[in-house]
Amino acid sequence: MLSYCPYSKKPPRFKGVCIYRPFVYGSIAIPLPTPRPANTPPDHTHRWTIFVRPVSPSHDITHWLRKVQFKLHETYSQSLRTIETPPFEVTETGWGEFEVAIKLFFVPEASEKPISIYHQLKLHPYGGTEEEREKTRREGGEVSSRCYEEVCFNEPVEGLWEILTSGGGDGRANEKGRGKGKGAKAIKSGDRSAEIPTEGTPYSLRMEGRELDRLKEAVKQVESMIVEERKTLAEREKVLGELRREAAAAEKR
């Protein structure tokens, strides 16, 4: 249902409609090669890229994203970088990790305020075992830190709704109030609704299902370990109780 007031200057919105658009943000870092690139500060150790990207190359986030602003550490010249065309990324060199503020600006048709997200720049290996991290350091491997995110256009204005549901499929549409109005019909239509991809990307529904299966299996293993530990604890407490009784009996003699 399209909500419209003839006395309001605000654009009409589709009531009960929420459209999601997925994207990926994060950073990639690699140690500087030897010999070092020209004009690189002597204390810099890594080359890194901070970015906002679609979940797969076939998706186009410029349907809804107009520009991206990256706020780097204040020690960088021009620490506020604005990228108005894809790829939405900034590449620099440095020696330390810091938090990057990322502001997303939407297309004018959205009539939405920009939103901010934050990412901790990673230069050194993290996660996994110590052996795996050490191997990455020795081999000068890439350190990648990526996050999957979705922006939600809740009750979008008519102009944005037309853009997002007319072939710019890089997300999914969800309608709260089904079966009513123009919005319901178009969102149900297969060629206008944009689902999260099912293949060809690490952020697909199939990969999500596999990850959930792995997590469920890990939970079962942890629960089994807890049961075994409780049994071991009960046996040790039993032995401890017997030792205490023997010690008490010895004191009475």
Side-chain angles (χ1 to χ4, degrees):
M1 178 177 65
L2 187 62
S3 176
Y4 174 71
C5 175
Y7 304 104
S8 175
K9 295 182 180 180
K10 296 182 180 180
R13 291 181 175 272
F14 281 96
K15 292 294 184 180
V17 173
C18 186
I19 299 181
Y20 300 84
R21 284 297 180 269
F23 65 96
V24 179
Y25 69 96
S27 60
I28 297 174
I30 57 173
L32 288 172
T34 303
R36 297 163 61 85
N39 302 321
T40 302
D43 58 340
H44 285 195
T45 59
H46 290 74
R47 177 178 298 278
W48 53 260
T49 298
I50 186 86
F51 59 82
V52 173
R53 296 174 179 172
V55 294
S56 74
S58 61
H59 294 153
D60 184 3
I61 58 178
T62 61
H63 288 288
W64 53 270
L65 185 62
R66 181 168 64 91
K67 64 180 180 180
V68 179
Q69 196 174 77
F70 298 92
K71 181 65 173 70
L72 309 181
H73 194 272
E74 59 186 10
T75 54
Y76 285 91
S77 61
Q78 298 179 341
S79 60
L80 189 63
R81 312 283 180 91
T82 301
I83 310 299
E84 298 188 356
T85 56
F88 298 108
E89 59 186 44
V90 170
T91 298
E92 273 286 0
T93 61
W95 59 267
E97 299 178 345
F98 57 91
E99 186 178 68
V100 181
I102 306 172
K103 183 175 286 189
L104 308 180
F105 292 82
F106 303 115
V107 294
E109 294 86 351
S111 296
E112 300 286 355
K113 296 180 180 179
I115 61 173
S116 295
I117 52 179
Y118 299 88
H119 180 73
Q120 183 70 24
L121 177 66
K122 294 289 186 182
L123 302 184
H124 307 286
Y126 65 100
T129 65
E130 180 59 36
E131 291 76 12
E132 291 172 341
R133 293 194 293 271
E134 183 59 31
K135 181 180 179 182
T136 302
R137 295 189 190 98
R138 290 197 309 268
E139 297 177 354
E142 176 185 285
V143 175
S144 177
S145 175
R146 305 168 188 260
C147 298
Y148 172 93
E149 189 57 271
E150 293 179 351
V151 60
C152 170
F153 295 102
N154 192 36
E155 299 187 349
V157 298
E158 186 175 13
L160 179 64
W161 186 90
E162 290 291 343
I163 291 175
L164 296 181
T165 60
S166 60
D170 61 344
R172 69 176 185 269
N174 175 41
E175 190 210 348
K176 299 176 182 176
R178 296 182 180 276
K180 295 182 180 180
K182 177 182 177 183
K185 182 178 180 181
I187 289 177
K188 286 182 178 181
S189 175
D191 59 344
R192 294 175 65 84
S193 175
E195 294 292 335
I196 291 179
T198 57
E199 298 288 352
T201 167
Y203 309 100
S204 68
L205 292 176
R206 177 168 294 184
M207 291 300 295
E208 179 180 310
R210 291 175 181 173
E211 185 65 23
L212 289 174
D213 290 340
R214 284 194 291 268
L215 290 174
K216 290 178 181 178
E217 185 61 30
V219 168
K220 291 180 180 178
Q221 293 179 6
V222 171
E223 290 175 344
S224 177
M225 293 171 64
I226 291 174
V227 171
E228 292 300 322
E229 288 296 325
R230 285 175 176 170
K231 290 181 180 179
T232 302
L233 179 60
E235 293 174 356
R236 290 177 178 177
E237 288 179 342
K238 183 179 179 180
V239 172
L240 180 60
E242 293 175 353
L243 292 174
R244 285 174 176 172
R245 286 193 294 271
E246 290 177 1
E251 291 178 355
K252 292 179 181 179
R253 292 174 185 172

